[in-house]
Amino acid sequence: MELVIQNLSKTYPNGVQALKNVNLTIPTGMFGLLGPNGAGKSSLMRTIATLQEADSGSIRLGDLDVFKEKDEMRRVLGYLPQEFGVYPKVSAEELLDHFAVLKGIHNSKERKETVAALLQQTNLYEVRKKNLGGYSGGMKQRFGIAQALLGNPKIIIVDEPTAGLDPAERNRFHNLLSEIGENIIVILSTHIVDDVSDLCRNMAIINKGEVLLTGEPLQAIDEM
Ligand code: ADP
Ligand code: ADP
């Protein structure tokens, strides 16, 4: 499975050209999108996630035309935005169960098993009864991943995930992403070079809305 982005451009109403003729092919595995603040990373991530429209260009996921088949794209996509809210007064288990209902998992036995497996995978099973308001930043991030993994997505998008995490949490989060990246497309958007060189099989560097280069991390970063 590949995500193929062709000639993607976006100018906001204020005149900022956030994406300039972006072309990228993203294979299965961990893909790093590296760039400074304001480079256009979130604009690109939101466009892939069908949360905003581009002015021109196309995105395909395998046979799927993302702009024409938005509902289908949303079914196979997990998106973890940079800032995501949690409901502080419910537990991880309750909220994940609720999202599982929204994802269409109506059979309660199946839902229970799915939720338990995701809580185990994200290392939150022990604290599943705790209210999310009491979670650390790293725990919230992992909860976000559990939520994004509901419904067996083919692609996961993670926007600036390790900001504010301590080194132990960052490691734990990286291990989790690596495991997920063995089977599906994981796009990691970040301004931290080490996050990309530690984790990603392939990468692109973006600045001022333009893809400057793509390749394997060490090679690409050495060429900078
Ligand atoms: P990054 O995620 O790399 O920080 P963004 O995609 O958020 O970059 O932003 C790219 C540029 O587009 C920035 O100059 C930003 O201020 C601008 N921008 C982002 N979103 C909007 C918006 N909704 N309206 C106007 N300008 C925006
Ligand atoms: P990032 O940190 O990823 O660059 P931002 O903090 O720039 O994201 O954007 C947060 C929200 O504000 C987004 O919904 C974005 O569309 C909006 N936004 C960003 N820059 C501008 C801008 N210059 N004018 C209007 N909205 C903006």
Side-chain angles (χ1 to χ4, degrees), residues 90-100 111-112 115-116 119 124-125 127-132 135 143:
V90 294
S91 72
E93 187 176 52
E94 286 168 314
L95 189 56
L96 214 49
D97 184 77
H98 177 71
F99 283 122
R111 205 163 63 237
K112 220 173 161 178
V115 165
L119 289 167
L124 293 171
Y125 193 77
V127 289
R128 67 192 183 283
K129 306 278 185 201
K130 206 171 153 170
N131 281 353
L132 291 164
Y135 272 25
F143 178 77

Side-chain angles (χ1 to χ4, degrees), residues 80-154:
L80 183 60
Q82 191 175 0
E83 308 265 332
F84 70 100
V86 294
Y87 300 91
K89 291 191 176 158
V90 294
S91 72
E93 187 176 52
E94 286 168 314
L95 189 56
L96 214 49
D97 184 77
H98 177 71
F99 283 122
V101 174
L102 295 179
K103 276 275 174 186
I105 310 175
H106 296 299
N107 179 302
S108 69
K109 183 163 174 281
E110 183 193 343
R111 205 163 63 237
K112 220 173 161 178
E113 286 167 3
T114 303
V115 165
L118 286 172
L119 289 167
Q120 267 152 4
Q121 188 180 355
T122 52
N123 242 300
L124 293 171
Y125 193 77
E126 303 299 316
V127 289
R128 67 192 183 283
K129 306 278 185 201
K130 206 171 153 170
N131 281 353
L132 291 164
Y135 272 25
S136 69
M139 288 156 80
K140 282 181 193 157
Q141 285 286 18
R142 282 185 275 130
F143 178 77
I145 293 289
Q147 193 181 317
L149 284 173
L150 270 172
N152 291 322
K154 294 177 179 159

Side-chain angles (χ1 to χ4, degrees), residues 14 42 46 82:
N14 62 357
S42 292
R46 289 195 300 260
Q82 191 175 0

Side-chain angles (χ1 to χ4, degrees), residues 12-14 16 18 35-44 46 159:
Y12 286 109
N14 62 357
V16 172
N37 273 334
K41 301 185 297 297
S42 292
S43 298
L44 183 57
R46 289 195 300 260
D159 202 349

Side-chain angles (χ1 to χ4, degrees), residues 28 59 72 99 118 197 212:
T28 296
I59 304 180
E72 182 54 32
F99 283 122
L118 286 172
S197 50
L212 299 183

